[in-house]
Amino acid sequence: MIISNKQSAEDKTKEVKNSQAKKEVDDLITKNDDLDYNLRPKALDGYIGQEKTIKQLKLIIDSAKIRDTLPEHILFYGQPGLGKTTLASLISQELGANLKTIAAPALQKGGDIVSLLINMEPNTILFVDEIHRLKAPLEEIMYSAMEDCVVDLVMGKGQGVSLGRFDLNPFTLVGATTQLGRISKPLKDRFPTVFQLEPYNESDILALVDRNLEILKINMDEDAKIAVSRRCRGVPRIANNILKRFKDLQVVHNIKTIDKETSLEFLYELGIYELGLTNSDINYLKSLKETSLALKTLSGILMEEAETLETVVEPYLIYLGFLDKGSDGRKLTPKGRIFIQNY
Ligand code: ADP
């Protein structure tokens, strides 16, 4: 009797331990599909970083709410992953407006943009990503839509041709671009408000990493957090992508707390080196060791699209003070030259 009691106590303890362990694992595993959604900021209040932009946006939104209207058109520019799409979605949410999202390359013909505009519901924020890629004739249709909320259409052919004008529901266009210089002047001039998003500074990115570690239920010591933050290049998307990989590491190897050594080793395995440089950056810098080169030549050598080099690789190398974009091509600065010597 005593034995069976002891056994049942042991069984009970095992059961409790198993269910505890299961709960711990369940807690660690957030469904992958949910990760991106969970990491996305849910309101302008508490949004980490971009303080000046957030302050101005709140003012614009509050004013629109008081006047019971939609804000004027807004343009965001900055490198990929800094939060342009997130901000467009938060604007619509704060205003209780509909959000319609489209990437400019998806609009091929005049008919695409006309149908998009005339089918827009009242109270809509139209978010056009990569707006610098909007084709010129489509841009012209957008001008009258932005200015007067109308679309002019040529209908019929030959002798039966007639001009038609459609009134649109009032809307706010939120444009996003990684390349402000590629937006035509007339289009740019039609955005009364232009916000430049900058890479996040070290303390903001550390705060963001801290917040997202908590959401992802990853335990990381302070030194590891700092090491990770310094390798995010000040870009939330990069930070989130790295943290998701750490989640995999923690779940698979059941690591209680990630320390600095583990974090650095893992970042190295991910191909993320000091200052957040990747193999693409290192190869880019190596190509310029001996001579300056034109963007097109670099694009050929590195087998990378010129636009990717210009929008993703180069801004960070310039920010680090490693690269000069002169009229005679791209060349290393003395600082860049010293850095790449070790590779
Ligand atoms: P962009 O449109 O500029 O390329 P996104 O808005 O898509 O950038 O943001 C990239 C990722 O970074 C998203 O997963 C988003 O949730 C996250 N993100 C952006 N800004 C922040 C922020 N301030 N705090 C936390 N996560 C952010």
Side-chain angles (χ1 to χ4, degrees):
M1 188 67 193
I2 293 168
I3 292 172
S4 81
N5 261 347
K6 194 179 165 208
Q7 269 180 341
S8 82
E10 270 174 8
D11 285 350
K12 194 81 201 147
T13 315
K14 246 189 219 164
E15 209 177 277
V16 171
K17 274 192 179 159
N18 279 345
S19 76
Q20 254 172 6
K22 186 177 174 308
K23 188 179 173 314
E24 276 174 21
V25 172
D26 284 348
D27 280 352
L28 286 176
I29 301 168
T30 316
K31 269 201 233 139
N32 228 341
D33 295 349
D34 300 337
L35 293 184
D36 270 324
Y37 174 77
N38 288 341
L39 296 180
R40 214 170 256 281
K42 303 288 181 298
L44 281 182
D45 273 330
Y47 188 96
I48 295 169
Q50 311 293 348
E51 270 163 40
K52 283 186 201 151
T53 300
I54 300 297
K55 191 172 171 203
Q56 290 305 317
L57 273 179
K58 280 187 179 162
L59 190 70
I60 289 170
I61 290 169
D62 287 346
S63 159
K65 276 187 189 165
I66 292 166
R67 291 180 291 119
D68 196 17
T69 179
L70 282 173
E72 291 187 302
H73 309 300
I74 298 170
L75 179 65
F76 290 117
Y77 80 99
Q79 64 183 92
L82 288 181
K84 301 181 288 296
T85 310
T86 306
L87 287 176
S89 134
L90 291 180
I91 292 171
S92 74
Q93 191 182 302
E94 300 272 340
L95 288 162
N98 305 303
L99 177 68
K100 185 127 196 123
T101 297
I102 190 129
L107 300 168
Q108 286 294 317
K109 306 181 298 289
D112 296 338
I113 196 164
V114 169
S115 120
L116 174 79
L117 291 168
I118 62 179
N119 288 311
M120 231 163 22
E121 288 172 39
N123 200 27
T124 292
I125 303 292
L126 174 63
F127 175 61
V128 180
D129 202 5
E130 300 180 66
I131 200 161
H132 60 278
R133 294 204 181 176
L134 201 59
K135 294 181 173 174
L138 275 61
E139 239 187 69
E140 290 199 13
I141 297 171
M142 196 58 114
Y143 297 160
S144 58
M146 287 172 83
E147 266 175 357
D148 304 318
C149 253
V150 294
V151 189
D152 289 321
L153 280 184
V154 182
M155 292 178 292
K157 275 185 186 163
Q159 298 228 313
V161 76
S162 64
L163 265 183
R165 172 162 273 208
F166 285 87
D167 288 325
L168 304 173
N169 285 314
F171 70 104
T172 299
L173 176 64
V174 177
T177 179
T178 49
Q179 293 174 292
L180 191 64
R182 299 238 169 122
I183 298 190
S184 72
K185 190 167 176 333
L187 181 57
K188 199 172 129 210
D189 287 348
R190 284 173 170 83
F191 285 100
T193 320
V194 179
F195 290 116
Q196 177 181 12
L197 300 189
E198 304 269 10
Y200 291 54
N201 63 35
E202 213 175 307
S203 70
D204 285 342
I205 212 85
L206 186 59
L208 189 147
V209 164
D210 225 3
R211 164 192 177 266
N212 291 356
L213 283 169
E214 201 167 303
I215 295 174
L216 293 171
K217 300 191 178 102
I218 302 173
N219 292 321
M220 202 178 256
D221 73 19
E222 286 305 312
D223 288 343
K225 279 181 200 171
I226 294 170
V228 170
S229 307
R230 289 198 176 144
R231 283 163 176 75
C232 297
R233 309 164 75 116
V235 178
R237 181 179 290 137
I238 298 181
N240 289 351
N241 287 342
I242 292 177
L243 294 184
K244 284 187 271 177
R245 298 290 70 75
F246 272 103
K247 180 78 193 167
D248 297 335
L249 183 77
Q250 187 183 32
V251 169
V252 173
H253 295 288
N254 201 8
I255 302 173
K256 259 204 139 64
T257 304
I258 294 165
D259 60 16
K260 185 177 176 187
E261 197 187 339
T262 311
S263 72
L264 287 179
E265 230 171 75
F266 189 56
L267 285 163
Y268 187 83
E269 281 171 26
L270 292 175
I272 299 166
Y273 314 117
E274 56 182 320
L275 303 169
L277 294 174
T278 62
N279 289 316
S280 308
D281 305 307
I282 303 290
N283 291 336
Y284 182 103
L285 293 171
K286 277 185 183 169
S287 316
L288 294 175
K289 249 181 177 175
E290 310 299 336
T291 175
S292 58
L293 293 170
L295 177 65
K296 223 173 151 190
T297 317
L298 273 164
S299 154
I301 295 173
L302 299 166
M303 290 193 291
E304 193 77 75
E305 271 186 44
E307 190 176 330
T308 307
L309 293 180
E310 251 194 317
T311 56
V312 183
V313 180
E314 292 180 343
Y316 189 55
L317 298 178
I318 293 169
Y319 169 79
L320 291 175
F322 288 176
L323 179 70
D324 249 352
K325 272 185 5 176
S327 53
D328 53 342
R330 272 66 172 161
K331 62 174 177 225
L332 294 183
T333 61
K335 195 175 167 193
R337 204 168 286 286
I338 291 169
F339 176 83
I340 202 64
Q341 265 169 12
N342 303 325
Y343 285 88

